[in-house]
Amino acid sequence: MTAAPLDAGAPATTPGVDSPTWPAEFAERYRAAGHWRGETFGGVLRERATAHPDRIALVDPAPRRRTWTYRELDRRADRLAAGFAARGIGKGDRVVVQLPNTGEFVEVVFALFRLGALPVYALPAHRETEIAYFCSFTEAVAYVVPDRHAGFDHLALATKVKERTPTLREVFVVGDPGEHTALADVDGDPSDLPAGPLPHEVAFLQLSGGTTGLSKLIPRTHDDYLYSLWGSNEICGVDADTRFLVVLPAAHNFPMSSPGWLGVLYAGGTGVLCPAPDPATAFPLIEAERITMTGMVPPLALVWTDAAPGSAHDLSSLELVLVGGAKYSEAAARRLEPALGCRLMQVFGMAEGLVNYTRLDDDPETVVTTQGRPISPDDEIRIVDDEDRDVPEGGFGHLLTRGPYTIRGYWRAPEHNARSFTEDGFYRTGDIVRRTPTGHLVVEGRAKDQINRGGEKVAPEEVENIILTHPAVHDVSVVGVADDYLGERTLAYVILREDAAPLKPVHVKKFVREAGIAAYKVPDLVEFVDAFPQTGIGKVSKKGLRSTAATAERQTGRPRRPRPPQH
Ligand code: AMP
Ligand code: DBH
């Protein structure tokens, strides 16, 4: 892998450089300010295991309760790293990890951190389209899966992907490995593990929500991500007594780092891995494990808020719930604290970096009406118009940001980077925000072509490209329409070929599902139209489609309440 020399500051658009990085003067500033502490993930785990070996780091409650002390997690990560190394996995290699919320997920990523191999964080919901792309684009050497999860046969998927991906040498399986390798058999003597990665090097590839088709990959370094963790810990009050319930998929940036299970491990607390996010699963765990903190997306917060008052479970240990990933309505935000009997904190973050939190000492109105302010005094925020000119203070505009934990470019994507970053390194978030006099941001909307389906991001183009392969389809446009529960749901406008036999919405949905794509990307609604609204220059007008959708009487009626995000 082509690595940029230390702090050379490879700009986002340099071809041949995998991971654009911070210019030397910025890196120096962030180190001098104490943001970048020169630590690595592997090193932090070792230190915690030495300082408090017998404290419980992790609890995986299902199907039978398992725990890992810091010493046990550290040892297993070492032995697994040695086993991976013996199978030829080394520094800089990419490994696609697709595991549900289980202890093995944490073991695997720490083993890879130790080696300097880069986990690529797939979500359990991803299917052949996404996984084959992650494996081929990153030239992954290995793929880690459960045998089955949520009724899905991951082994069969792994076999197909392995056939399609020449670089993929190994599939590691939690459970029955079939023709592949059981993760439980990966073990080695760690005494001659190679030297680990350096703090300024890339630790993993996180996924972007995507706007232009498939997700972009986000290279995060040890230094920058660790700063976002301990910065989040200070804001959220995470310490060794924190017991954090991971209800969203553990590979997602929010439950990983805001402050998430990695933040909690940094602080020496305990992470409890929740196998599913619904109250029937989570509430008994809150009671049994005396959970103090958790984080979730707005639709799930609504479900919890409705369920808590009538619940027989004791939720009194809960001190703080973080809500973010999509806009949380003020009305819903007002209901959370009384229903759950704990504090609310809003969080507006992105896997590319910048994370904003309301603060524990903010007045209650600020907590329910804003999405918080940045972690760092060195997070630079610009709010600009379409020509990149700063809007007057308090006005709406595009949010641009640069700072000590915001990437300077996506992995191997120079052309995309030229559009997503300014020349001086600001990331174009695609969000429309305004800033209050206290410096808190209020998310007002979005300029990017992305649908935020209750925190799950859908790139319309990716779904459109699939529908376009249907032989009866002439053209398609996928848009988001307002939804009380999810914030937005997806609607596919389809123009059929003149000679095509009539189709029903269900056929289109089935076609998308069978193409092998994450279920949350399957359109919620399908509508057949004769033509799309056009913009002035003859392009399909997504804005026009959205307003058509908002005003037209829906013949389809309101669909049944969509399920909350699943693992
Ligand atoms: P991603 O780039 O996939 O990590 O998604 C990050 C995006 O999610 C942000 O750029 C926002 O569009 C959206 N987002 C995250 N948190 C919030 C929030 N609290 N309110 C509104 N939008 C949010
Ligand atoms: O939506 C997100 O990606 C997100 C939301 C809240 C995030 O990455 C985060 C906090 O860190």
Side-chain angles (χ1 to χ4, degrees), residues 252-254 257-258 324-326 347-351 353 355 455 457:
H252 190 277
N253 196 62
F254 174 17
S257 66
S258 298
V347 49
F348 161 41
M350 51 205 76
V355 181
K457 319 298 185 319

Side-chain angles (χ1 to χ4, degrees), residues 207-210 218 252-253 323-328 346-352 371 427 429 431 443 446 448 450 452 457:
L207 309 180
S208 78
I218 298 171
H252 190 277
N253 196 62
V323 179
K327 180 79 186 236
Y328 194 30
Q346 292 209 45
V347 49
F348 161 41
M350 51 205 76
E352 287 82 356
Q371 280 65 58
Y427 168 53
T429 65
D431 294 311
V443 182
R446 197 176 52 233
K448 57 191 166 192
Q450 184 182 74
N452 192 335
K457 319 298 185 319

Side-chain angles (χ1 to χ4, degrees), residues 298 302 323 326-335 346 368 371 484:
L302 279 177
V323 179
K327 180 79 186 236
Y328 194 30
S329 81
E330 186 186 322
R334 286 190 195 283
R335 291 175 47 216
Q346 292 209 45
V368 296
Q371 280 65 58
D484 289 345

Side-chain angles (χ1 to χ4, degrees), residues 231-238 242 258-259 293 320 322 345 357 360:
S232 297
N233 284 350
E234 286 188 354
I235 291 165
C236 303
V238 174
T242 301
S258 298
M293 197 181 292
L320 181 66
L322 292 112
M345 187 181 278
Y357 296 98
L360 290 171

